[in-house]
mmCIF file of all heavy atoms in Angstrom:
data_model
loop_
_atom_site.group_PDB
_atom_site.id
_atom_site.type_symbol
_atom_site.label_atom_id
_atom_site.label_comp_id
_atom_site.label_asym_id
_atom_site.label_seq_id
_atom_site.Cartn_x
_atom_site.Cartn_y
_atom_site.Cartn_z
ATOM 1 N N GLY A 21 -16.986 4.371 19.499
ATOM 2 C CA GLY A 21 -17.938 4.946 20.527
ATOM 3 C C GLY A 21 -17.280 6.048 21.367
ATOM 4 O O GLY A 21 -17.749 6.341 22.479
ATOM 5 N N GLY A 48 1.157 36.909 5.628
ATOM 6 C CA GLY A 48 1.971 37.917 6.300
ATOM 7 C C GLY A 48 1.748 39.291 5.673
ATOM 8 O O GLY A 48 0.588 39.672 5.329
ATOM 9 N N GLY A 51 -0.547 39.822 2.631
ATOM 10 C CA GLY A 51 -2.002 39.821 2.754
ATOM 11 C C GLY A 51 -2.524 41.083 3.413
ATOM 12 O O GLY A 51 -3.727 41.193 3.649
ATOM 13 N N ASN A 61 -8.660 56.303 14.532
ATOM 14 C CA ASN A 61 -8.761 56.903 15.858
ATOM 15 C C ASN A 61 -7.999 56.178 16.923
ATOM 16 O O ASN A 61 -8.152 56.446 18.098
ATOM 17 C CB ASN A 61 -10.249 56.959 16.292
ATOM 18 C CG ASN A 61 -11.076 57.762 15.309
ATOM 19 O OD1 ASN A 61 -10.581 58.733 14.749
ATOM 20 N ND2 ASN A 61 -12.310 57.338 15.058
ATOM 21 N N ASN A 216 8.475 34.083 31.724
ATOM 22 C CA ASN A 216 8.991 35.423 31.359
ATOM 23 C C ASN A 216 9.715 35.990 32.591
ATOM 24 O O ASN A 216 9.151 36.484 33.487
ATOM 25 C CB ASN A 216 7.825 36.320 30.924
ATOM 26 C CG ASN A 216 8.303 37.665 30.429
ATOM 27 O OD1 ASN A 216 9.442 38.045 30.776
ATOM 28 N ND2 ASN A 216 7.468 38.376 29.701
ATOM 29 N N TRP A 272 1.059 34.077 39.205
ATOM 30 C CA TRP A 272 0.462 35.322 39.755
ATOM 31 C C TRP A 272 1.544 36.370 39.851
ATOM 32 O O TRP A 272 2.708 36.038 40.033
ATOM 33 C CB TRP A 272 -0.079 34.975 41.157
ATOM 34 C CG TRP A 272 -0.723 36.209 41.777
ATOM 35 C CD1 TRP A 272 -1.981 36.610 41.617
ATOM 36 C CD2 TRP A 272 -0.054 37.107 42.652
ATOM 37 N NE1 TRP A 272 -2.186 37.767 42.357
ATOM 38 C CE2 TRP A 272 -1.009 38.112 42.993
ATOM 39 C CE3 TRP A 272 1.257 37.205 43.176
ATOM 40 C CZ2 TRP A 272 -0.718 39.132 43.824
ATOM 41 C CZ3 TRP A 272 1.519 38.264 44.015
ATOM 42 C CH2 TRP A 272 0.537 39.237 44.314
ATOM 43 N N MET A 349 1.784 26.589 54.282
ATOM 44 C CA MET A 349 1.712 25.949 55.572
ATOM 45 C C MET A 349 2.536 26.732 56.583
ATOM 46 O O MET A 349 2.120 26.960 57.731
ATOM 47 C CB MET A 349 2.238 24.534 55.477
ATOM 48 C CG MET A 349 1.132 23.552 54.944
ATOM 49 S SD MET A 349 1.785 21.984 54.465
ATOM 50 C CE MET A 349 2.523 21.448 55.974
#
Side-chain angles (χ1 to χ4, degrees):
N61 300 325
N216 185 339
W272 179 86
M349 278 166 59

